[in-house]
């Protein structure tokens, strides 16, 4: 991008300037480009530092939540909401595990916009248990259901990543306001 600009500048001035003048013009233009590159590098470095602080704060908040542990009754409530009739995962057979994922994902879709990061922690815990059950049953799940489960797992990961990003943006906004 810089090279075409420099070439264009030199071509426009080439007819009416001496070689020394063209060198001086090229030198000035290169100095301007260096200044812009340095300014961009400083800005990028500052943005990286800010992002690092935000990520560190996000990790610290997660560790505090984990250290505090689950709120009494909240895990059971979330299991009831997210798994419904499939709450007792140990008893879910291979021919019903797909339905458990479908129910789980529908509940996540319905609640994702109002969930706190703590709610996502509970959902992640339930999701991991659901995946553990799927791994136990994997050899007995028909291909059509296994394919649907993979698609639902990918959707969940995307929704959870979006929630993480939203939390990260909240932290960055709070930091900017400090």
């Amino acid at each position: 991008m810089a090279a075409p600009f420099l070439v264009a500048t030199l071509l426009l001035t080439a007819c009416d300037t001496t070689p020394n003048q063209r060198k001086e013009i090229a030198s000035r233009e290169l100095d301007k480009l260096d200044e812009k590159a340095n300014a961009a590098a400083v800005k990028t470095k500052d943005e990286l530092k800010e992002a690092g602080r935000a990520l560190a704060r996000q990790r610290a908040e997660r560790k505090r939540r984990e250290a505090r542990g689950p709120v009494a009754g909240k895990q059971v409530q979330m299991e009831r909401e997210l798994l419904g009739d499939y709450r007792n995962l140990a008893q879910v057979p291979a021919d019903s595990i797909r339905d458990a994922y479908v129910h789980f994902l529908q509940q996540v879709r319905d609640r994702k916009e109002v969930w706190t990061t703590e709610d996502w922690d509970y959902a992640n815990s339930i999701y991991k248990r659901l995946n553990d059950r799927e791994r136990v049953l994997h050899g007995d799940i028909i291909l059509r259901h296994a394919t649907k489960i993979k698609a639902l797992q990918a959707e969940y990961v995307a929704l959870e990543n979006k929630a993480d990003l939203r939390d990260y943006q909240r932290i960055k906004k709070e930091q900017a306001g400090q």
Side-chain angles (χ1 to χ4, degrees), residues 125-149:
S125 172
I126 294 166
Y127 176 71
K128 286 176 186 171
R129 289 184 37 241
L130 189 57
N131 286 340
D132 290 344
R133 182 62 180 162
E134 187 273 337
R135 276 191 286 283
V136 167
L137 300 172
H138 185 75
D140 297 322
I141 300 171
I142 63 172
L143 181 59
R144 179 170 34 101
H145 288 186
T147 303
K148 176 68 173 179
I149 289 168

Side-chain angles (χ1 to χ4, degrees), residues 15 27 33 47 51 57 68 87 101-102 108 122 126 154 160:
C15 294
S27 178
L33 289 173
E47 289 171 349
R57 183 172 161 197
R68 189 174 53 236
R87 270 189 314 251
Y101 272 98
V102 168
V108 170
Y122 287 106
I126 294 166
E160 202 269 334

Side-chain angles (χ1 to χ4, degrees), residues 14 44 88 99 120-121 153:
T44 300
N88 190 352
D99 297 333
W120 278 103
D121 291 343
Q153 288 170 330

Side-chain angles (χ1 to χ4, degrees), residues 55-130:
L55 287 171
R57 183 172 161 197
Q58 191 177 33
R59 279 189 221 101
E61 287 179 6
R62 182 177 292 125
K63 284 183 180 183
R64 280 193 297 275
R65 288 192 314 271
E66 288 171 357
R68 189 174 53 236
V71 175
K74 180 74 174 183
Q75 184 73 30
V76 172
Q77 174 197 344
M78 290 292 282
E79 287 174 0
R80 189 175 23 250
E81 291 176 10
L82 298 181
L83 293 174
D85 294 339
Y86 306 99
R87 270 189 314 251
N88 190 352
L89 287 172
Q91 293 181 356
V92 174
D95 63 347
S96 296
I97 192 72
R98 175 194 154 279
D99 297 333
Y101 272 98
V102 168
H103 182 81
F104 174 80
L105 254 298
Q106 186 56 54
Q107 301 312 306
V108 170
R109 287 183 206 112
D110 291 347
R111 293 168 171 76
K112 70 183 187 306
E113 296 302 325
V114 296
W115 270 354
T116 65
T117 51
E118 223 169 62
D119 293 329
W120 278 103
D121 291 343
Y122 287 106
N124 284 332
S125 172
I126 294 166
Y127 176 71
K128 286 176 186 171
R129 289 184 37 241
L130 189 57

Side-chain angles (χ1 to χ4, degrees), residues 33-48:
L33 289 173
D34 282 345
E35 287 175 22
K36 288 180 181 181
N38 287 337
V42 167
K43 183 179 177 186
T44 300
K45 188 175 180 182
D46 291 343
E47 289 171 349
L48 283 172

Side-chain angles (χ1 to χ4, degrees), residues 149-166:
I149 289 168
K150 290 296 180 201
L152 293 169
Q153 288 170 330
E155 180 183 355
Y156 179 81
V157 169
L159 293 172
E160 202 269 334
N161 285 340
K162 184 177 178 183
D164 282 347
L165 179 60
R166 197 170 35 246

Side-chain angles (χ1 to χ4, degrees), residues 24-38:
E24 181 59 32
I25 291 169
S27 178
R28 281 195 310 264
E29 292 301 319
L30 286 172
D31 287 344
K32 288 179 190 177
L33 289 173
D34 282 345
E35 287 175 22
K36 288 180 181 181
N38 287 337

